[in-house]
Amino acid sequence: MKKISSIFFNAWILFSGLLALLSASFIFIYILKNGFKAMTWEFILSNPAGIPLGSEGGILPAIIGSLLLMLISCVFASILAISTAVYIVFYCKSKRMESLAHVVIQCMAGVPSIILGLFGYTFMVANLKMGRSLISAGLTLGIMIFPFIQVRVEKTFREFSSSMLLSSYALGTTKLYTLLRLVLPQSIRDIVSAVTLAGGFAMGAAAPIILTGAVIFAPIPKSLSSPVMALPFHLYILTGEGISIEKSYGTALVLILLLFIINLVSISLTFWRKEATK
Amino acid sequence: MNVLQLKSFYAYYGEKKIINDMDMKIEKNKITAIIGPSGCGKSTFLLSLNRMLEESGGRAAGNILFNGKDIYSMPKEEIRKRIGIVFQKPAPFPFSIYKNLTYAPVYYGIRDKSRLREIAIDKLKISGLYDEVKDELGMSALKLSGGQQQRLCIARALTVEPEVLLLDEPCSALDVKNTANIEKMLRNLAGDYTIVIVTHNLYQAKRISDYTAFMLDGELIEYDETARMFSSPQNRRTREYIEGIYG
Ligand SMILES: Nc1ncnc2c1ncn2[C@@H]1O[C@H](COP(=O)(O)OP(=O)(O)OP(=O)(O)O)[C@@H](O)[C@H]1O
Ligand SMILES: [Mg+2]
């Protein structure tokens, strides 16, 4: 009886693993196959052209735009998320304050991204007069990924060995020194990987930027207040307006490859750190 | 002369009273041993002396005077710099051996490379670890054996030049030879440092300490010169404890 159930269990694990692997590779191969034709240097390195716009030419401004959006949202969100986690784990003395912070963060995580876009539009674009711009869209994306990063960073801090913390305090060092010299260097790998994952998530999101800064066509942004093109929005326009199916697949492929590269960089970065601290 | 003096001191974890109305004076530049059965509050007592108790979730009431000044009216960082502690479970930082030893000196503003190196080597020699690791100062401290980690933690505590050193069962992970080395080291340090050591090993208390305190259920039962304490304990419970282990 025991044996049968364990066979069943193993088969089930194998099946789920294969299913996940297969569906992921299916999506990737499907997009690779359909987008491959569109992938030329010209596509990657030139502006969109043709009538309607996008039916010819390339997607360079969208690639740059997406990278900039990711950068801005990651910087903004990680500063906020790390500070919040540091406060909650190391400085907050009151249990009630802590649970309040957790409730707020959970609520933020639950807000649909289009609503965040609406918030960004009314608050930043209209009220703060920041216009539909790189910065409005970047900050809106930052708000979206903030809970994602915060939860992971807080978990990393919580798992930090308390006897090491105590040893550091016992040498008379302050919390700040302990944080900067002991906790952060030890947690940086986890933080970097959380931020990169979140960055990929931000890069792929269309809903928050539709209202706050993404446009059908703009040159590479010159300043934070310029409107911006972004890959997911471009993809949405190309497909939604029926402009060019081939170019949509090309755009999708570029987006996926970028995410792939970002994750690869993150993994090798963290791997390198692991080697260095040995 | 006393460095430390407790006046009707209490320690709590939550509502639970761990140390009950303790009065005690600790002599300067002597070795004081704390003995007593497991769970009687010896570690809690040590943690109280340099205000580490509050970091582990405990609470103190009453007074502890350090050179006549109440430690709870002084900055806790200053207290901890001047009263160092080595915990029962060694916890080296996940850095190299060398960086473990420069962690605190760098905090106190020492930047000179050769000075840092000098401190590291000097403290390793004192704790008897130098010969074993002299070629591998760059190795991760986590790769050391338990006893080596314990001695590294002693060396690390010495890098801030404390006036008082609190040791919580420093020899529990050591073999006979290393125990003897540590005991020799403590005897050497005793001229310049005040040492308070918690130990389960009564022979050790007898060998190295000048004074011995016997604790039971959070209370100080008997406190006397070591020789007198072991030859003619005044309290019945002290006698029973000592004889129980000896006899
Ligand atoms: N962090 C803590 N939180 C709550 N209770 C604690 C904590 N640390 C210790 N205690 C309790 O305090 C009492 C005394 O513990 P303490 O560690 O001081 O004993 P000890 O004499 O050092 O014992 P041992 O010889 O086994 O190390 C124990 O009953 C223990 O359960
Ligand atoms: Mg103990």
Side-chain angles (χ1 to χ4, degrees), chain B residues 42-44 88 168-169 198:
Chain B
K42 303 182 296 296
S43 297
T44 311
Q88 196 161 355
D168 200 344
E169 297 185 36
V198 167

Side-chain angles (χ1 to χ4, degrees), chain B residues 13 16 18 37-45 56 88 169 200:
Chain B
Y13 279 117
K16 200 167 145 206
I18 310 293
S38 181
C40 71
K42 303 182 296 296
S43 297
T44 311
F45 170 75
S56 28
Q88 196 161 355
E169 297 185 36
H200 267 137

Side-chain angles (χ1 to χ4, degrees), chain A residues 34-277:
Chain A
N34 288 288
F36 195 69
K37 274 175 284 172
M39 282 286 273
T40 58
W41 284 114
E42 196 212 335
F43 182 66
I44 294 176
L45 293 176
S46 64
N47 287 345
I51 298 170
L53 198 68
S55 55
E56 308 281 327
I59 53 167
L60 181 67
I63 296 177
I64 306 283
S66 273
L67 288 173
L68 287 173
L69 285 171
M70 183 183 95
L71 188 73
I72 292 175
S73 60
C74 281
V75 169
F76 172 66
S78 47
I79 291 175
L80 212 61
I82 295 173
S83 324
T84 314
V86 163
Y87 172 73
I88 292 180
V89 177
F90 296 101
Y91 288 91
C92 181
K93 288 256 157 42
S94 125
K95 277 271 168 253
R96 281 171 63 187
M97 186 67 207
E98 192 180 317
S99 9
L100 184 71
H102 283 149
V103 169
V104 170
I105 289 161
Q106 260 165 28
C107 289
M108 280 179 79
V111 175
S113 54
I114 188 72
I115 309 264
L116 282 181
L118 194 63
F119 165 76
Y121 179 70
T122 48
F123 183 65
M124 286 185 266
V125 177
N127 273 337
L128 296 181
K129 306 229 178 337
M130 285 155 65
R132 292 186 50 178
S133 58
L134 180 57
I135 184 80
S136 307
L139 294 183
T140 309
L141 286 174
I143 297 174
M144 180 181 81
I145 58 175
F146 159 75
F148 185 91
I149 302 178
Q150 198 280 338
V151 169
R152 282 166 181 73
V153 174
E154 184 176 328
K155 182 162 174 283
T156 307
F157 286 164
R158 284 225 187 276
E159 284 166 2
F160 193 83
S161 144
S162 66
S163 56
M164 271 181 217
L165 284 181
L166 290 180
S167 296
S168 177
Y169 298 151
L171 292 165
T173 64
T174 53
K175 267 188 186 159
L176 187 64
Y177 185 80
T178 305
L179 268 170
L180 293 179
R181 291 291 303 247
L182 182 63
V183 181
L184 282 183
Q186 289 308 307
S187 318
I188 197 76
R189 277 197 276 141
D190 294 341
I191 295 178
V192 168
S193 78
V195 171
T196 346
L197 271 179
F201 178 35
M203 191 188 248
I209 58 176
I210 292 177
L211 295 169
T212 52
V215 290
I216 295 181
F217 176 72
I220 294 168
K222 297 216 168 36
S223 76
L224 287 175
S225 54
S226 321
V228 62
M229 281 184 79
L231 289 170
F233 184 66
H234 191 63
L235 178 59
Y236 165 71
I237 295 293
L238 289 182
T239 324
E241 311 276 308
I243 295 173
S244 162
I245 293 299
E246 189 189 310
K247 300 270 181 207
S248 327
Y249 277 119
T251 311
L253 184 56
V254 170
L255 184 56
I256 285 197
L257 286 178
L258 274 180
L259 293 179
F260 194 69
I261 292 171
I262 289 166
N263 280 302
L264 217 64
V265 168
S266 140
I267 292 170
S268 49
L269 213 70
T270 58
F271 187 72
W272 170 74
R273 271 214 61 100
K274 199 179 189 172
E275 284 295 304
T277 52

